[in-house]
Amino acid sequence: MTNPRLCVFPLKPEEAEQYMRIRHQVFSTTTFHNVLYAQGEPSQKTLDRVTSEIRDRLVQGIHYLKCVDTSTSEMIAGASWHYLRAQEEGAKERPWEEVDAELIVPEPYDESDPEMYKSLFTLLNTNKRKILGNRPYYALNTMVTLPNHERRGAGNMLVRWGCDRADEAGVPAYVEASLMGAPMYARHGFQRVKQVEFDLSKWGGKGVMSITLMLRPAKCE
């Protein structure tokens, strides 16, 4: 059931830092955080870079969303959805050069172990290419909820937003889910395609990152 006190809105550029703070707080307890910042906690320079990247992606047309508790006006959750489709209007398939141009490894942060960082994103990109090929699709890149606002329905609302857009476009949706998040995505029609493990100890780190690759079929499929 939808919580009437919660509403989803597009993120404004001036709210990028607030989104970054929520993202950082949520990620700070995850194995993913240990990959991004394997050599120490991020500096203010790095956090400023993340904020700038969010603003840049908004300009590029990537959908950043915020979930707000309207009774307090507090941003309690956020998500990033990206619609990947051919640049040519009306094309049903993406040229492979466009696909490969999207599947690049981001620049590591100052606190990253460059080889560990590159290895994770190469693993994810390789699987994404195999699973999705040159089809257009919606990708859920990030979904974060402040710990003290979990189980209020914010995550479901943010996931539903992207699923509805994917259905309207007649394309699948894709997410690289944590073990904790996978059951929620399954309730929205995402199906497990593959489980991948990323062992940080190969680079002197701690922990194994388990990622469930999930695909929600297009409405017409």
Side-chain angles (χ1 to χ4, degrees):
M1 182 180 293
T2 302
N3 189 326
R5 292 169 56 181
L6 304 184
C7 288
V8 171
F9 302 101
L11 189 76
K12 299 176 182 177
E14 59 267 27
E15 297 170 324
E17 183 176 0
Q18 188 177 358
Y19 184 102
M20 177 276 293
R21 296 289 176 189
I22 294 174
R23 173 186 182 270
H24 178 65
Q25 181 177 341
V26 174
F27 281 0
S28 64
T29 59
T30 66
T31 308
F32 186 51
H33 180 89
N34 298 335
V35 176
L36 294 181
Y37 313 119
Q39 302 189 53
E41 286 300 303
S43 65
Q44 187 59 50
K45 174 187 173 185
T46 293
L47 295 178
D48 289 344
R49 172 187 156 184
V50 175
T51 300
S52 179
E53 288 171 346
I54 293 169
R55 293 197 187 103
D56 290 345
R57 290 167 186 158
L58 280 167
V59 173
Q60 294 164 9
I62 295 176
H63 301 285
Y64 278 86
L65 308 169
K66 60 181 179 179
C67 185
V68 175
D69 185 329
T70 57
S71 67
T72 62
S73 299
E74 180 185 6
M75 187 191 305
I76 67 168
S80 169
W81 281 95
H82 189 186
Y83 184 18
L84 295 110
R85 53 181 169 174
Q87 295 176 10
E88 181 183 344
E89 190 69 31
K92 294 184 178 180
E93 293 184 342
R94 304 170 65 211
W96 283 108
E97 57 267 26
E98 291 182 17
V99 172
D100 291 331
E102 290 283 353
L103 297 175
I104 57 172
V105 175
E107 187 68 23
Y109 298 104
D110 291 346
E111 299 80 13
S112 304
D113 176 315
E115 289 304 315
M116 182 195 297
Y117 185 97
K118 179 180 178 181
S119 294
L120 173 63
F121 284 97
T122 299
L123 173 67
L124 295 176
N125 286 343
T126 299
N127 279 283
K128 189 181 294 183
R129 195 179 195 276
K130 289 179 180 177
I131 292 168
L132 290 151
N134 61 346
R135 291 184 283 177
Y137 64 97
Y138 267 86
L140 177 56
N141 296 329
T142 309
M143 209 285 290
V144 289
T145 302
L146 288 171
N148 57 324
H149 290 284
E150 291 177 349
R151 302 187 183 281
R152 296 185 60 197
N156 281 305
M157 294 172 71
L158 292 165
V159 174
R160 173 52 53 194
W161 184 96
C163 290
D164 287 346
R165 299 306 182 282
D167 286 347
E168 291 168 5
V171 300
Y174 183 74
V175 64
E176 295 154 348
S178 66
L179 290 177
M180 185 179 297
M184 181 188 69
Y185 298 125
R187 291 195 294 271
H188 288 271
F190 285 87
Q191 301 168 8
R192 178 184 178 277
V193 178
K194 187 177 181 180
Q195 194 77 27
V196 297
E197 307 289 332
F198 187 76
D199 186 354
L200 279 65
S201 68
K202 293 180 180 180
W203 295 272
K206 295 181 179 179
V208 175
M209 188 175 176
S210 186
I211 309 157
T212 307
L213 308 181
M214 305 185 77
L215 188 68
R216 183 178 184 271
K219 199 171 184 180
C220 58
E221 292 182 356

